[in-house]
């Protein structure tokens, strides 16, 4: 039960849920990791330990519990800064998730900096969370939203970006570092380089990249970066917005309330320091603390190992799948250009039917548009099936998956 | 229900060779709906003549269950009295499909066309027949389908 890179047996033992059976007696084969990953016992215990032994509100009280909770909460911030190689801890803002991070930027930066006839550029392979906020902003401001297209190999057509940049009107380029449907890894450094030349700001959606690749913000050199804890072994309800200090300093607050203020008078308020200016109200303390345990877990394995394990598994799966008659696989063929996300269609079996059938064999995959309807239109399909891997998946599970696909083919007489 | 019970020959046949697929020009009833969860889409056109379903057609995209059930529903109501169609219950539809025990996620696929039909009848009762009493009942029924 090994790839050459990590000891999966040890890892699987840390995930209690992987021991459960579904549909009475089928071992769970969890291949829906791009939607959310499972949580190791270390994360679950970190959360329950907080509630059991030092539950209290943070930042304001002086009692011992509050000090412990504040320390644990703020230590997570340091760990995140280190994990993504951010220069300053105060550039790390806790939010609910990637979606909220992007909306925060659209609201607190976008409304001040995007004007009539400006251009916002995104891509055809974005998640709805990196499209809809920009549509709303563009409508409000009379700005234009443009798309970098996707070629037949599932990669971005960077010539499109150049064309928009040359108009001199692009204020922001927002793209995902890894597509949640195609798995394509975006040539992010190249995009940032081109944007810099024209003074366009760059937002990167790291929801799929941070869990699976080593991310280095110093190398990326972007302006905004967003990701979610729940896609990288952490709990739901926690995410991160990282942004350059000078941008955060000039941005208006997103929410007003407690914690984000320095002084409140009847008609005037001064803002708290970064990052607290953007963290109004009691935050999700327990889950932020749980997130730290997830970061520790990934650190212990090493993100290079995570990546290598997933490449090996993805290659193994792609080799098997591409031999199936009637299968259409989307995204780059070369596993060095993609993450462990495989979208496909099998004959005329609708993805929802396929997911229903293989669920009976204990296999959890995703079917539908994956919150990427612009991409579905580009691929000219209404839906795809998607299998996505993580550190605890094995080649044996890929075999079970392929066998189950063959059963679906038989049922559909293909 | 097991897949083998769901994806029987007849369901696959209606999925691959849908009967009454298409559109009617200037239909008396025209209604569409989608299931945002799956992206199933369905549009149904009906002509009513002498209190009977004179013609019915549908178009749509989606899974075998949603498309086959739509096609089988059109066959079920073709030529029937309007009163009969009004009274159809969701159990009738699931019986007709042989899909009585679908789980909560997939039952929406099976009943999407039925919901479209009933919504269309509701609009027809309001706009054409001015029968607000029946329309109100129909509205309640539609909201209880799933
Ligand atoms: C690429 C990408 N961006 C954004 C999101 C949204 O993340 P969340 O739902 O955690 O806000 C997702 C997850 O579904 C994603 O895959």
């Amino acid at each position: 039960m090994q790839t050459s890179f990590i000891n999966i047996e040890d890892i699987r033992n840390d995930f209690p849920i992987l021991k459960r059976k579904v549909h009475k007696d089928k071992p769970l084969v969890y291949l829906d990791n791009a939607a959310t990953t499972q949580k190791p016992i270390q994360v679950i215990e970190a959360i329950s330990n907080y509630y059991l032994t030092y539950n209290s509100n943070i930042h304001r009280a002086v009692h011992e519990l509050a000090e412990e909770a504040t320390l644990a909460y703020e230590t997570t911030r340091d760990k995140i800064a280190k994990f993504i190689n951010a220069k300053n801890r105060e550039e790390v803002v806790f939010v609910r998730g990637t979606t909220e991070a992007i909306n925060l930027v659209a609201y607190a930066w976008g409304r001040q900096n995007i004007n009539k006839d400006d251009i916002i550029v995104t891509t055809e392979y974005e998640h709805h969370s990196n499209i809809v906020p920009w549509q709303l902003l563009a409508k409000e401001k009379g700005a234009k939203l443009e798309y970098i297209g996707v070629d037949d190999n599932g990669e971005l057509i960077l010539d499109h970006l150049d064309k928009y940049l040359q108009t001199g009107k692009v204020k922001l380029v927002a793209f995902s570092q890894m597509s949640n449907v195609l798995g394509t890894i975006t040539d992010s450094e190249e995009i940032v380089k081109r944007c810099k030349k024209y003074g366009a700001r760059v937002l990167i959606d790291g929801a799929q990249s941070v869990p699976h690749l080593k991310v280095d913000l110093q190398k990326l050199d972007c302006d905004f970066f967003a990701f979610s804890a729940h896609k990288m072994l952490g709990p739901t309800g926690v995410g991160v917005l990282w942004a350059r200090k000078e941008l955060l300093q000039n941005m208006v607050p997103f929410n007003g309330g407690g914690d984000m203020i320095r002084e409140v008078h009847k008609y005037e308020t001064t803002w708290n320091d970064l990052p607290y200016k953007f963290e109004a109200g009691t935050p999700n303390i327990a889950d932020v603390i749980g997130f730290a345990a997830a970061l520790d877990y990934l650190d212990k394995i090493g993100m290079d190992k995570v990546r290598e394990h997933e490449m090996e598994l993805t290659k193994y799966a792609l080799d098997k799948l591409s031999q199936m008659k009637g299968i259409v696989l989307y995204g780059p063929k070369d596993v060095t250009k993609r993450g462990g996300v495989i979208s496909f269609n099998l004959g005329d079996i609708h993805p929802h039917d396929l997911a229903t059938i293989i669920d009976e064999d204990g296999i959890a995959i995703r079917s539908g548009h994956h919150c990427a309807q612009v991409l579905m239109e580009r691929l000219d399909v209404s839906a795809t099936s998607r299998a996505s891997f993580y550190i605890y998946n094995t080649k044996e599970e890929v075999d079970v998956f392929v066998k189950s696909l063959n059963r679906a083919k038989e049922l559909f007489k293909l | 229900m097991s897949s083998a019970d769901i994806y029987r020959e007849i369901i696959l046949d209606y999925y691959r060779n849908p009967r009454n697929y298409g559109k009617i020009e200037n239909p008396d009833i025209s209604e569409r709906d989608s299931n945002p969860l799956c992206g199933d889409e369905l549009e149904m056109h009906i002509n009513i003549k002498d209190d009977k379903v004179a013609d019915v057609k549908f178009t749509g995209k989606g899974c075998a269950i949603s498309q086959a059930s739509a096609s089988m529903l059109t066959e079920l109501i073709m030529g029937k009295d309007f009163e009969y169609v009004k009274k159809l219950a969701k159990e009738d539809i699931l019986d007709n499909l042989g899909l009585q025990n679908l789980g909560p996620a997939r039952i929406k696929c099976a009943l999407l066309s039925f919901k479209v039909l009933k919504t269309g009848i509701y609009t027809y009762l309001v706009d054409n027949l001015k029968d607000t009493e029946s329309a109100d009942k129909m509205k309640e029924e539609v909201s209880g389908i799933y």
Side-chain angles (χ1 to χ4, degrees):
Chain A
M1 263 233 289
Q2 298 273 113
T3 54
S4 9
F5 301 100
I6 53 188
N7 185 343
I8 306 186
E9 222 141 341
D10 285 352
I11 287 175
R12 288 182 72 88
N13 277 330
D14 286 331
F15 290 78
I17 205 170
L18 296 179
K19 296 196 173 66
R20 79 161 272 183
K21 303 275 195 285
V22 289
H23 294 287
K24 281 204 195 105
D25 59 352
K26 303 287 191 313
L28 171 66
V29 176
Y30 186 77
L31 302 180
D32 194 15
N33 292 289
T36 198
T37 65
Q38 299 303 343
K39 322 303 174 198
I41 189 69
Q42 288 84 344
V43 168
I44 298 164
E45 281 176 351
I47 295 167
S48 65
N49 188 39
Y50 160 74
Y51 283 127
L52 288 170
T53 66
Y54 61 105
N55 171 55
S56 65
N57 212 326
I58 52 167
H59 293 323
R60 277 155 302 198
V62 293
H63 53 76
E64 179 162 326
L65 298 191
E67 274 178 13
E68 287 176 18
T70 304
L71 181 67
Y73 183 86
E74 290 301 332
T75 303
T76 309
R77 203 188 303 276
D78 294 323
K79 286 185 176 167
I80 290 167
K82 196 162 151 259
F83 198 81
I84 56 178
N85 196 19
K87 247 196 231 138
N88 304 299
R89 70 185 308 279
E90 58 278 29
E91 295 174 331
V92 174
V93 178
F94 285 117
V95 290
R96 276 193 302 141
T98 307
T99 304
E100 190 173 72
I102 297 173
N103 277 277
L104 193 160
V105 175
Y107 180 92
W109 178 85
R111 289 167 115 206
Q112 282 183 315
N113 291 282
I114 304 286
N115 297 305
K116 193 168 175 328
D117 298 328
D118 284 346
I119 297 176
I120 302 165
V121 177
T122 183
T123 87
E124 283 182 343
Y125 64 44
E126 294 313 301
H127 188 276
H128 293 163
S129 61
N130 206 11
I131 292 179
V132 182
W134 309 124
Q135 283 176 349
L136 291 170
L137 180 65
K139 282 228 172 78
E140 183 183 322
K141 294 292 185 176
K144 257 168 91 179
L145 184 58
E146 301 284 7
Y147 287 83
I148 302 173
V150 173
D151 68 17
D152 291 338
N153 198 30
E155 296 181 72
L156 295 180
I157 305 168
L158 292 191
D159 289 354
H160 293 178
L161 172 66
D162 295 336
K163 193 181 72 188
Y164 300 128
L165 285 173
Q166 280 153 15
T167 63
K169 290 182 176 168
V170 177
K171 284 283 159 68
L172 178 74
V173 177
F175 64 88
S176 156
Q177 198 177 6
M178 189 200 288
S179 159
N180 69 319
V181 178
L182 303 170
T184 314
I185 299 170
T186 310
D187 191 353
S188 306
E189 285 175 44
E190 178 61 28
I191 294 182
V192 175
K193 211 169 76 194
R194 294 190 195 189
C195 291
K196 285 264 136 108
K197 262 202 273 177
Y198 291 89
R201 296 289 181 191
V202 178
L203 177 144
I204 298 182
D205 170 350
Q208 295 296 339
S209 56
V210 182
H212 305 282
L213 311 171
K214 178 140 199 55
V215 168
D216 183 339
L217 287 186
Q218 297 315 307
K219 266 206 204 144
L220 273 179
D221 205 24
C222 59
D223 298 293
F224 303 100
F225 193 90
F227 60 103
S228 302
H230 71 93
K231 292 181 195 285
M232 48 191 296
L233 310 180
T236 53
V238 177
V240 171
L241 169 68
W242 171 90
R244 282 182 195 284
K245 202 164 153 185
E246 57 276 21
L247 290 171
L248 287 174
Q249 274 162 343
N250 290 319
M251 279 156 63
V252 291
F254 185 40
N255 290 317
D259 251 357
M260 52 78 71
I261 49 93
R262 178 168 301 283
E263 283 177 38
V264 178
H265 303 287
K266 251 184 174 170
Y267 304 106
E268 280 300 324
T269 291
T270 49
W271 311 134
N272 199 344
D273 295 334
L274 295 178
Y276 310 108
K277 176 176 149 189
F278 295 100
E279 293 180 7
T282 300
N284 188 351
I285 303 165
D287 292 314
V288 165
I289 290 169
F291 188 23
L295 293 167
D296 290 345
Y297 198 93
L298 288 171
D299 260 339
K300 204 177 76 195
I301 299 172
M303 289 310 290
D304 296 338
K305 290 269 165 53
V306 170
R307 172 70 179 137
E308 280 163 1
H309 165 73
E310 287 180 17
M311 282 211 290
E312 185 172 322
L313 210 53
T314 306
K315 181 165 184 336
Y316 182 78
L318 283 174
D319 284 349
K320 291 222 152 179
L321 290 172
S322 57
Q323 286 164 26
M324 284 182 88
K325 238 180 91 191
I327 200 165
V328 179
L329 293 160
Y330 304 99
K333 311 262 174 304
D334 177 355
V335 292
T336 64
K337 291 186 166 184
R338 68 183 296 158
V341 176
I342 301 179
S343 278
F344 63 97
N345 266 304
L346 187 55
D348 68 349
I349 312 179
H350 191 279
H352 285 285
D353 295 318
L354 188 74
T356 299
I357 295 168
I358 74 171
D359 171 56
E360 281 178 341
D361 296 326
I363 302 161
I365 62 160
R366 190 46 73 100
S367 56
H369 55 59
H370 318 292
C371 296
Q373 283 185 312
V374 171
L375 179 63
M376 294 298 118
E377 235 168 75
R378 164 65 184 84
L379 298 175
D380 200 21
V381 295
S382 58
T384 71
S385 300
R386 179 185 74 184
S388 51
F389 306 124
Y390 212 22
I391 48 174
Y392 35 70
N393 290 123
T394 65
K395 288 182 182 169
E396 287 79 357
E397 287 181 315
V398 172
D399 293 340
V400 173
F401 169 57
V402 170
K403 191 167 161 221
S404 186
L405 291 181
N406 279 315
R407 188 174 75 84
K409 277 180 75 172
E410 273 165 37
L411 272 172
F412 266 70
K413 316 217 162 23
L414 289 175
Chain B
M1 285 185 93
S2 81
S3 303
D5 294 331
I6 299 174
Y7 301 103
R8 285 161 296 132
E9 194 96 33
I10 181 164
I11 298 283
L12 294 180
D13 183 37
Y14 275 85
Y15 172 52
R16 289 185 170 132
N17 311 296
R19 315 335 181 232
N20 300 320
Y21 194 89
K23 299 186 175 192
I24 299 174
E25 248 179 74
N26 301 317
D28 296 321
I29 296 175
S30 167
E31 194 61 56
R32 72 180 302 282
D33 199 357
S34 59
N35 179 348
L37 208 76
C38 321
D40 289 348
E41 287 172 21
L42 210 103
E43 182 161 337
M44 195 174 278
H45 293 168
I46 301 174
N47 272 341
I48 306 283
K49 210 166 153 190
D50 303 330
D51 293 327
K52 281 187 193 309
V53 175
D55 198 6
V56 49
K57 288 205 160 21
F58 84 100
T59 51
K61 288 198 287 212
C63 66
I65 300 176
S66 76
Q67 302 305 302
S69 67
S71 186
M72 288 167 84
L73 178 62
T74 61
E75 284 199 333
L76 182 69
I77 66 171
M78 183 75 86
K80 294 282 167 47
D81 288 341
F82 186 57
E83 275 309 306
Y84 165 84
V85 177
K86 245 168 71 182
K87 285 204 195 100
L88 274 177
K90 65 179 173 192
E91 291 73 22
D92 302 328
I93 304 305
L94 297 173
D95 283 349
N96 185 49
L97 290 166
L99 296 175
Q100 292 90 341
N101 296 311
L102 280 177
R106 303 312 302 277
I107 202 157
K108 292 185 181 161
C109 305
L111 291 174
L112 177 64
S113 51
F114 182 63
K115 187 159 172 250
V116 168
L117 170 69
K118 290 279 174 165
T119 311
I121 291 176
Y122 163 77
T123 312
Y124 186 71
L125 287 168
V126 174
D127 292 353
N128 297 59
L129 305 183
K130 318 281 179 209
D131 182 352
T132 47
E133 199 180 311
S134 303
D136 284 349
K137 256 195 250 158
M138 190 59 64
K139 196 173 181 181
E140 205 165 294
E141 201 189 319
V142 168
S143 64
I145 292 177
Y146 52 74

